Amino acid sequence: MAKRNISLLVFLIIGIQLFGQDYTLEKCKTLALKNNLSIKESKLKIDAAKELKKNAFTNYFPKVSASASLFKSSKSLSEIETPEMNLPVYDGNPENLVNPTQFAYIPSFSIETLDYTNSAALTAIQPLYAGGRIKIGNKLATLNKDVQELQHDLTVSEIMVKTEEYYWNLVALNEKKKTIENYQTLLQNLHKEVNDFYEAGLTQKSNVLKVNLELNKIEGNKLKLTNGIDVLKMVFAQHLGLEDYQNLSVLDSIIDIKKPSVYYQEPQIAIKNRKETALLNKAVDAEVLQKKLSTGEHLPELGVGVGGLYLDVADNSDFYGVVFASLSIPISDWWGGSHKRKEHNFKIEMAKNNLEEKSQLMQIQISKEYKTLTESYKQIEIAQTSLNQSNEYLQELEDTYDAGLTNLSDLLEAKAINQEAKDALIDAKSKYKINIAKYLLALGNDSILED
């Protein structure tokens, strides 16, 4: 029993390797979210922004620093030499101070010192007030993290649209391949029929050659289509993070087509959901914070600290504890600071103007994408009408050809027109699917992440 299960498992693995694996659109989006390099890069930027935020938070804590120095000179920095001398000795009689009678002999001697110095210091400084720059710096770090997260969401949405574009183009090429293979089969049957007529002396050889030429044309188009599918699979596999593109095959066919009105939203309302709108608002917030940060650079700074100092000089060593406070008040910087603040006021207005302008352009973009969507839906209706007419035209020519009332050239032309009509319908449907994704992206709609 165990051997049978192992054999079945091996068979399934070989079968998957031989016949490939079918991927739904939902599975392709999941793979892109997991493996796409652009998404991975945006996640790394978020991680970097989080670390930057943590680093900014450490500015609330004391700054601890340590230092040490060793000094050794080739000779002493301080040298004292005294000559030999006789020093008068006081015998207790004040009268003998002027004319001493007794002396003490002092030989010459020299003193050398300060040929080395060793020191070590440890200090901790706690900022009490820094013009609000620490608080503002943390807000900027938080804002940077929010921006990176918005950029990540925008990247994900764009990757999802690209995934749909690759997916539906591959579906369309597969549909075209089926259509061209069916067309090739019809021509092969027609070729056999015409060739039988020629061998029976019922038609000219030129008719056989016409079918052969059409078959050669189809073979060439089929080769181009196959190569196009392979190239698209390579690109799609890289996009999904797959190593082997040859086993990549998509599962869907373009059947479910909903009207554009199902997806419609008012542009004025839709722009509120756009990640770009949030990013533009963040840009305004950033300029406001930059102004506050610049103002803080011209405000007083107050801090307190404690420290310890170890000093070893001239064979004497000792440890000293210190407590200190520092106050820094910029004065002349205020002259230039006033111009800096005016500069930031202009930048804030520029950011607000950019927000307003981009909001207007986004509304135009949404309207444009919807017009493109409705146009592509209309193209499906036109293509479907053309296909119905070509089917009717082909059926009529096939009937008249069988009755001997239509020549072969007209029949081949009708079959080619019918083939082109089928391809046009496939193209229209695939473009419509892609345009749906692009319109949802323009709306900032999270449903773009869904199947």
Side-chain angles (χ1 to χ4, degrees):
M1 185 69 178
K3 291 183 178 179
R4 182 182 301 174
N5 292 336
I6 293 174
S7 299
L8 180 60
L9 178 61
V10 171
F11 176 78
L12 290 174
I13 293 174
I14 294 175
I16 292 174
Q17 292 176 344
L18 289 176
F19 300 105
Q21 184 176 2
D22 290 332
Y23 289 87
T24 61
L25 178 58
E26 182 180 4
K27 185 172 184 179
C28 287
K29 288 183 176 181
T30 302
L31 286 171
L33 283 172
K34 179 182 178 182
N35 301 325
N36 187 267
L37 295 177
S38 296
I39 292 178
K40 287 183 177 180
E41 181 180 353
S42 66
K43 288 181 179 178
L44 291 174
K45 289 181 179 179
I46 292 176
D47 293 337
K50 288 180 179 178
E51 294 302 319
L52 181 63
K53 180 183 177 182
K54 292 177 182 178
N55 179 67
F57 187 73
T58 61
N59 291 325
Y60 284 112
F61 303 111
K63 299 296 182 184
V64 180
S65 61
S67 63
S69 65
L70 302 175
F71 171 77
K72 179 67 176 176
S73 177
S74 60
K75 64 178 183 178
S76 299
L77 298 179
S78 177
E79 297 182 358
I80 302 174
E81 294 185 2
T82 61
E84 62 180 356
M85 63 185 70
N86 292 317
L87 294 178
V89 177
Y90 179 54
D91 59 3
N93 187 356
E95 296 179 356
N96 293 333
L97 288 176
V98 179
N99 297 306
T101 59
Q102 296 180 6
F103 296 90
Y105 174 74
I106 304 297
S108 63
F109 65 91
S110 63
I111 299 175
E112 296 181 357
T113 186
L114 294 179
D115 60 339
Y116 80 95
T117 300
N118 299 327
S119 65
L122 178 67
T123 60
I125 302 175
Q126 174 63 55
L128 298 180
Y129 180 73
R133 282 179 291 169
I134 296 177
K135 183 178 180 180
I136 296 169
N138 277 268
K139 287 184 177 181
L140 281 171
T142 301
L143 186 143
N144 178 59
K145 181 184 73 70
D146 295 341
V147 167
Q148 295 302 328
E149 289 175 346
L150 287 170
Q151 289 283 9
H152 171 73
D153 293 341
L154 188 58
T155 299
V156 168
S157 297
E158 291 172 348
I159 292 299
M160 292 301 99
V161 171
K162 199 65 179 177
T163 302
E164 291 220 22
E165 187 174 349
Y166 286 140
Y167 186 88
W168 293 118
N169 279 332
L170 187 54
V171 169
L173 290 180
N174 288 337
E175 292 288 336
K176 286 184 178 181
K177 187 176 181 180
K178 295 177 183 178
T179 302
I180 201 171
E181 286 174 349
N182 292 334
Y183 183 37
Q184 186 179 36
T185 300
L186 292 175
L187 287 179
Q188 287 171 346
N189 293 334
L190 180 61
H191 177 269
K192 183 178 182 304
E193 179 182 336
V194 173
N195 191 61
D196 290 343
F197 286 159
Y198 168 70
E199 290 179 353
L202 299 176
T203 189
Q204 298 177 350
K205 187 177 181 179
S206 60
N207 287 331
V208 179
L209 295 175
K210 287 178 182 178
V211 180
N212 283 334
L213 289 174
E214 191 64 23
L215 282 171
N216 291 337
K217 180 180 177 181
I218 292 301
E219 191 64 35
N221 291 338
K222 186 179 177 181
L223 179 60
K224 290 180 181 179
L225 185 60
T226 301
N227 290 336
I229 291 174
D230 284 343
V231 171
L232 182 55
K233 281 185 176 182
M234 290 181 194
V235 178
F236 197 17
Q238 187 277 334
H239 178 81
L240 299 178
L242 300 176
E243 295 182 358
D244 185 10
Y245 75 91
Q246 294 180 344
N247 290 330
L248 174 61
S249 61
V250 292
L251 184 63
D252 292 327
S253 58
I254 311 173
I255 299 176
D256 184 22
I257 300 294
K258 298 178 181 178
K259 292 184 177 181
S261 56
V262 175
Y263 308 99
Y264 180 75
Q265 287 186 22
E266 287 291 338
Q268 296 86 349
I269 299 175
I271 60 171
K272 297 179 181 179
N273 298 323
R274 291 279 294 258
K275 301 297 185 296
E276 292 91 338
T277 302
L279 286 170
L280 290 168
N281 280 304
K282 293 291 183 183
V284 176
D285 295 340
E287 290 298 338
V288 173
L289 290 174
Q290 287 290 350
K291 178 187 176 182
K292 292 181 179 179
L293 188 65
S294 178
T295 302
E297 293 176 353
H298 305 98
L299 295 177
E301 294 183 25
L302 176 63
V304 296
V306 295
L309 174 64
Y310 171 79
L311 189 62
D312 178 12
V313 180
D315 296 328
N316 291 316
S317 62
D318 205 347
F319 177 82
Y320 305 90
V322 295
V323 177
F324 58 91
S326 65
L327 175 64
S328 175
I329 302 176
I331 298 176
S332 61
D333 289 348
W334 272 94
W335 303 336
S338 62
H339 299 293
K340 194 70 175 177
R341 288 189 294 275
K342 289 179 180 179
E343 177 189 353
H344 282 293
N345 286 334
F346 291 136
K347 287 185 177 180
I348 292 172
E349 289 302 315
M350 291 166 61
K352 290 180 178 179
N353 290 337
N354 190 44
L355 170 62
E356 184 177 357
E357 179 186 17
K358 292 298 190 298
S359 298
Q360 295 172 357
L361 292 176
M362 281 189 287
Q363 292 183 49
I364 294 173
Q365 181 198 15
I366 292 171
S367 299
K368 176 179 175 296
E369 291 294 345
Y370 187 73
K371 288 182 180 298
T372 301
L373 185 65
T374 55
E375 178 184 340
S376 61
Y377 183 79
K378 187 64 177 178
Q379 291 294 338
I380 293 176
E381 295 178 338
I382 294 172
Q384 185 64 62
T385 300
S386 297
L387 178 59
N388 294 338
Q389 292 174 348
S390 68
N391 286 335
E392 184 178 355
Y393 178 60
L394 177 60
Q395 184 62 51
E396 181 180 351
L397 285 187
E398 285 177 344
D399 293 340
T400 56
Y401 176 78
D402 291 339
L405 301 176
T406 300
N407 59 43
L408 182 61
S409 296
D410 293 339
L411 178 61
L412 291 175
E413 182 182 0
K415 287 182 177 294
I417 292 173
N418 184 255
Q419 172 68 22
E420 292 174 358
K422 291 179 180 178
D423 287 345
L425 181 59
I426 293 172
D427 285 336
K429 288 183 177 180
S430 65
K431 287 180 180 178
Y432 183 69
K433 284 286 190 178
I434 294 170
N435 287 331
I436 290 174
K438 290 182 178 180
Y439 179 62
L440 292 178
L441 176 64
L443 293 176
N445 196 330
D446 290 337
S447 62
I448 192 68
L449 303 176
E450 303 173 0
D451 185 0

